[in-house]
Amino acid sequence: MASSSKLNARIPEGKLEEKWTKYRSTVHLVNPANKRSLEVIVVGSGLAGASAAATLAEMGYKVKVFCFQDSPRRAHSIAAQGGVNAAKNYQNDGDSVYRLFYDTIKGGDYRAREANVHRLSEVSGNIIDQCVAQGVPFAREYGGTLSNRSFGGTQVQRTFYAAGQTGQQLLLGAYSALQRQVGMGAVQLLARHEMMDVVNIDGKCRGIIARDLVTGKLERHFGHAVLLCTGGYGNVFFLSTNAMGSNVTAAWKAHKKGAFFGNPCYTQIHPTCIPVSGDHQSKLTLMSESLRNDGRIWVPKKKDDNRKPNDIPEDERDYYLERRYPAFGNLVPRDVASRAAKERCDAGYGVGASKMAVYLDFAANTERYGKIQANKLGLHNPSKEEIIRLGKEVVKEKYGNLFDMYKQITDEDPYEMPMRIYPAVHYTMGGLWVDYNLMTTVPGLYALGEANFSDHGANRLGASALMQGLADGYFVIPYTIGDYLSEEIRTKAIPTDNEAFVKAEAEVQERITKLLSIKGTKSVDHFHKRLGKIMWDKCGMARNAQGLQTAITEIQQLKKEFWENVRVPGDANELNTELEKAHRVADFIELGELMCKDALHRNESCGGHFREEYQTPDGEALRDDDNFAYVAAWEYKGESQFELHKEELKYENIKLAQRNYA
């Protein structure tokens, strides 16, 4: 299988473990004086955006940062709870750069690019050093060394964490670095601004059209390069663990201006989410994967067992992950754990009022922690009550904010009874196709973090999102963007009255006018919910050809109804959140169609893409490496028209094998 002539991954020659080192030593550079005349636009201010902007400004580039929130501190990166991976081997349990690389490739079901993943593993240790230097309060052992815990898909402890708020602490570190550059005048920060389109001139990305969300004014901004750091598109399902503002608009506008979209059907379903409670919900809440490290997941052995969980004896409980996957147990990858939970609930063993949940039980480890703590305190023959009390104190220190959040939402005390969890949409492995330099198919347009497709294959390992965002921003893009900008030092800033800027702004204004003029009878949320149900039912945890074909037809009809009958109240020249949502939902509808087409064309199961027609006798994902070991990169060709290009995935350092976590 040959890669498309339109795709050049620009992977350096040489041995895998030497590619990045050699690249950094030979890549073209920009001297400090020239950097001061080069302008870079960063769209998005989460971990990838804030770290990239701060680093590039520190290097001397002129940087503009755009975020639709009122502050970069509200970026969705703040919601990541469990930790960040790094191959430090602090636990002396056999970890290494290669093992992190291998776990990531295997966890992604052999659908990621080797060179990118190995680079990510190489720089992972630098992330921890950088963040510690910034003052990020990682958890520490009694002796002062940084603590690690386990996450899904691995047999080593490599996840660094700050209680249950790791994303928040990491973002505050990156935010402080960004604000330092803002204070020095090296970064211009434009909050409450949303990117509405990219501007291409002579085949290169040269800027963006942004909308001031407070006044409604459209603005033109030039940049020698544009970095999209805008996160994932999980909200295409309406109900997800993403912040409600998370959207695909920036990436989708770039896609329609020439950036290929890679593997859009790869969606991660997270196994530890608080179950849906009714139609009133607008989002779902995640219980960190770190809880799988200490908890045990089970269902009753008897169908439709309505007893309280604490009344069900140990021998009447089915710890199904430990039974099916003894080597990894509760720490199998997310896609495996999610499908196993769905299988048990579909078979009639689910718990709770909806019967669409399983238990996550901390009783055993609370007792274990209590015994350890009693020994530390020199307590001999402590009572069971004393052991449990001490154990709860340890659990509270590790996970207290997560337990409190669960109680506030469910009105159930997880210290006293097991949590109820069920899989939900969480992360998207698909995104804009990028080469080794993180550049899209449009020269000068880059995608970082979850906005690109590059590192996670068909399933992301837990605690790897923060790792990728920070790696891309702090340690990758500062080198790779120089290779492009070294050829742009003679390019003067292009005036924004250029015809391309004028045309792009006019197109955005036309779309705004059209949305406001429809004056239909259905709200934006009405269409978003309908889209979400189609996507979840037919392109969610499981897919099949008939369902996907039906979904495509239904989405096309939904799109027609949206543009005929949506009601967007208010005006354009004011703060108008419904207008913001309307833009985003219109893009979600178009993306949903492409996701279904991508899922339909991929006649195999891999990672988060589970086609019911392609599974092993044991119900595991059945890949087809002979025909589908490639990245599906889709080119936009017009309304509902997409052309498929393939990037062949070559595995020269890892042997392709059926995943086995038993």
Side-chain angles (χ1 to χ4, degrees):
M1 176 197 313
S3 296
S4 167
S5 60
K6 289 191 176 183
L7 299 175
N8 181 359
R10 294 183 175 83
I11 299 171
E13 297 293 330
K15 295 181 180 178
L16 181 67
E17 60 274 15
E18 298 174 358
K19 290 181 187 293
W20 180 234
T21 301
K22 183 178 180 181
Y23 177 97
R24 288 183 298 161
S25 302
T26 58
V27 70
H28 295 141
L29 301 176
V30 180
N31 81 47
N34 286 331
K35 286 174 183 171
R36 291 193 289 270
S37 63
L38 292 169
E39 302 181 41
V40 179
I41 288 175
V42 179
V43 184
S45 61
L47 282 180
S51 60
T55 307
L56 294 175
E58 183 81 38
M59 295 170 69
Y61 294 106
K62 296 166 64 176
V63 179
K64 283 184 181 178
V65 177
F66 295 80
C67 68
F68 65 73
Q69 302 94 343
D70 60 347
S71 166
R73 289 175 297 174
R74 294 187 184 273
H76 185 56
S77 301
I78 205 168
Q81 301 157 333
V84 54
N85 287 333
K88 286 280 196 180
N89 196 31
Y90 277 10
Q91 302 295 322
N92 198 29
D93 55 2
D95 201 10
S96 65
V97 168
Y98 181 84
R99 193 175 292 277
L100 175 55
F101 159 70
Y102 176 81
D103 287 345
T104 304
I105 292 286
K106 178 183 177 183
D109 218 352
Y110 304 93
R111 289 295 178 264
R113 189 190 285 155
E114 273 194 342
N116 287 61
V117 176
H118 197 276
R119 177 177 64 188
L120 175 65
S121 303
E122 286 181 70
V123 305
S124 64
N126 297 343
I127 294 170
I128 306 304
D129 297 339
Q130 171 88 4
C131 294
V132 169
Q134 289 176 338
V136 173
F138 285 120
R140 293 178 181 267
E141 301 294 350
Y142 179 78
T145 56
L146 296 180
S147 182
N148 291 132
R149 58 189 179 200
S150 300
F151 256 63
T154 72
Q155 291 180 306
V156 298
Q157 290 182 280
R158 65 163 67 100
T159 303
F160 295 77
Y161 63 98
Q165 49 184 258
T166 313
Q168 177 178 353
Q169 298 301 333
L170 291 174
L171 184 61
L172 289 174
Y175 171 73
S176 65
L178 173 62
Q179 285 300 111
R180 176 173 179 268
Q181 298 302 320
V182 171
M184 294 172 64
V187 170
Q188 182 183 357
L189 175 62
L190 293 100
R192 302 298 287 144
H193 280 67
E194 183 155 27
M195 193 201 96
M196 305 302 292
D197 208 350
V198 295
V199 179
N200 297 335
I201 300 176
D202 297 330
K204 294 182 179 181
C205 184
R206 293 301 191 190
I208 67 170
I209 304 298
R211 180 171 180 266
D212 183 325
L213 297 180
V214 177
T215 66
K217 180 184 177 183
L218 296 180
E219 301 174 359
R220 310 167 192 171
H221 295 272
F222 164 79
H224 289 90
V226 175
L227 278 54
L228 300 184
C229 311
T230 50
Y233 48 87
N235 278 350
V236 68
F237 292 88
F238 185 70
L239 285 179
S240 82
T241 65
N242 289 191
M244 291 182 66
S246 298
N247 63 85
V248 76
T249 289
W252 193 250
K253 298 308 185 191
H255 173 56
K256 296 178 81 168
K257 285 292 182 72
F260 292 6
F261 213 104
N263 298 332
C265 78
Y266 287 165
T267 305
Q268 177 158 88
I269 311 297
H270 199 295
T272 58
C273 180
I274 297 178
V276 176
S277 61
D279 292 339
H280 63 282
Q281 281 185 268
S282 55
K283 77 176 300 295
L284 297 174
T285 303
L286 177 68
M287 291 290 98
S288 169
E289 177 159 303
S290 61
L291 299 180
R292 285 205 283 154
N293 172 36
D294 280 344
R296 300 181 73 191
I297 295 172
W298 62 277
V299 293
K301 289 183 178 179
K302 185 174 69 173
K303 290 185 178 182
D304 298 316
D305 194 329
N306 292 318
R307 288 177 291 176
K308 294 181 179 179
N310 293 341
D311 294 336
I312 300 177
E314 188 73 14
D315 61 355
E316 296 182 34
R317 300 179 178 187
D318 177 16
Y319 295 93
Y320 58 89
L321 291 176
E322 299 171 34
R323 169 173 56 81
R324 291 179 61 176
Y325 311 103
F328 282 73
N330 295 299
L331 290 174
V332 292
R334 291 174 175 178
D335 61 314
V336 176
S338 295
R339 281 196 296 274
K342 181 179 186 296
E343 184 275 328
R344 287 291 79 192
C345 292
D346 289 348
Y349 297 94
V351 301
S354 68
K355 299 300 181 183
M356 296 301 286
V358 300
Y359 289 127
L360 175 57
D361 196 334
F362 266 73
N365 267 18
T366 298
E367 185 172 345
R368 182 173 68 85
Y369 282 133
K371 290 178 179 178
I372 293 173
Q373 196 69 3
N375 284 330
K376 287 182 180 179
L377 297 173
L379 300 178
H380 303 292
N381 300 316
S383 66
K384 180 72 174 287
E385 290 74 17
E386 186 72 5
I387 289 173
I388 297 302
R389 183 185 67 79
L390 292 171
K392 286 180 179 178
E393 290 177 359
V394 176
V395 171
K396 185 173 184 179
E397 183 178 351
K398 284 177 171 284
Y399 308 110
N401 61 317
L402 301 176
F403 277 51
D404 292 345
M405 184 167 62
Y406 182 87
K407 185 175 181 179
Q408 289 172 4
I409 292 172
T410 66
D411 198 29
E412 296 175 1
D413 188 351
Y415 291 105
E416 301 298 332
M417 65 175 62
M419 294 181 182
R420 288 176 293 107
I421 58 170
Y422 192 72
V425 172
H426 180 54
Y427 188 93
T428 49
M429 283 74 64
L432 294 178
W433 183 93
V434 293
D435 62 16
Y436 190 74
N437 297 332
L438 304 184
M439 188 188 289
T440 69
T441 46
V442 177
L445 179 63
Y446 294 79
L448 282 64
E450 193 179 356
N452 72 35
F453 87 99
S454 68
D455 292 351
H456 307 299
N459 173 65
R460 177 176 68 78
L461 292 182
S464 287
L466 302 182
M467 177 174 63
Q468 187 206 349
L470 291 174
D472 286 356
Y474 281 137
F475 302 111
V476 178
I477 198 65
Y479 288 97
T480 62
I481 198 171
D483 191 50
Y484 173 76
L485 292 178
S486 65
E487 302 295 326
E488 296 296 317
I489 56 178
R490 294 180 181 84
T491 302
K492 303 299 181 183
I494 298 174
T496 55
D497 59 0
N498 179 283
E499 181 183 355
F501 278 96
V502 174
K503 181 181 179 183
E505 181 183 331
E507 290 172 352
V508 172
Q509 184 61 59
E510 181 183 359
R511 184 180 174 93
I512 291 172
T513 302
K514 184 175 181 181
L515 283 168
L516 291 170
S517 65
I518 296 171
K519 300 189 183 304
T521 61
K522 301 295 183 183
S523 70
V524 176
D525 280 347
H526 166 84
F527 290 99
H528 197 177
K529 287 180 179 180
R530 285 176 58 189
L531 173 66
K533 181 169 177 53
I534 294 170
M535 295 300 296
W536 178 250
D537 289 347
K538 299 180 175 69
C539 195
M541 288 184 70
R543 303 101 185 257
N544 59 60
Q546 181 179 352
L548 291 166
Q549 289 166 347
T550 302
I552 292 168
T553 301
E554 291 177 347
I555 292 171
Q556 290 173 345
Q557 177 60 34
L558 183 68
K559 179 180 179 180
K560 182 173 182 291
E561 290 182 36
F562 176 88
W563 286 103
E564 290 176 350
N565 199 29
V566 70
R567 179 170 181 79
V568 182
D571 297 319
N573 299 319
E574 64 180 5
L575 179 65
N576 189 336
T577 55
E578 285 300 303
L579 179 58
E580 294 172 33
K581 286 195 296 183
H583 283 292
R584 298 166 187 169
V585 171
D587 294 331
F588 276 138
I589 291 172
E590 294 182 0
L591 168 68
E593 182 179 354
L594 177 58
M595 289 174 68
C596 292
K597 288 183 175 180
D598 186 40
L600 181 62
H601 108 274
R602 189 170 284 277
N603 292 323
E604 64 165 354
S605 289
C606 55
H609 168 65
F610 191 75
R611 282 283 296 272
E612 293 173 339
E613 306 96 320
Y614 307 101
Q615 55 182 299
T616 68
D618 296 327
E620 305 294 347
L622 183 61
R623 295 195 322 269
D624 181 353
D625 295 329
D626 291 336
N627 296 302
F628 291 96
Y630 60 76
V631 179
W634 295 88
E635 179 182 7
Y636 182 78
K637 305 293 284 187
E639 185 172 347
S640 295
Q641 299 297 317
F642 307 92
E643 181 180 346
L644 174 62
H645 302 274
K646 301 176 182 179
E647 179 201 340
E648 181 183 2
L649 291 170
K650 298 179 181 179
Y651 293 96
E652 300 172 350
N653 298 271
I654 286 180
K655 181 181 178 181
L656 287 166
Q658 191 68 32
R659 285 193 303 172
N660 181 8
Y661 293 97

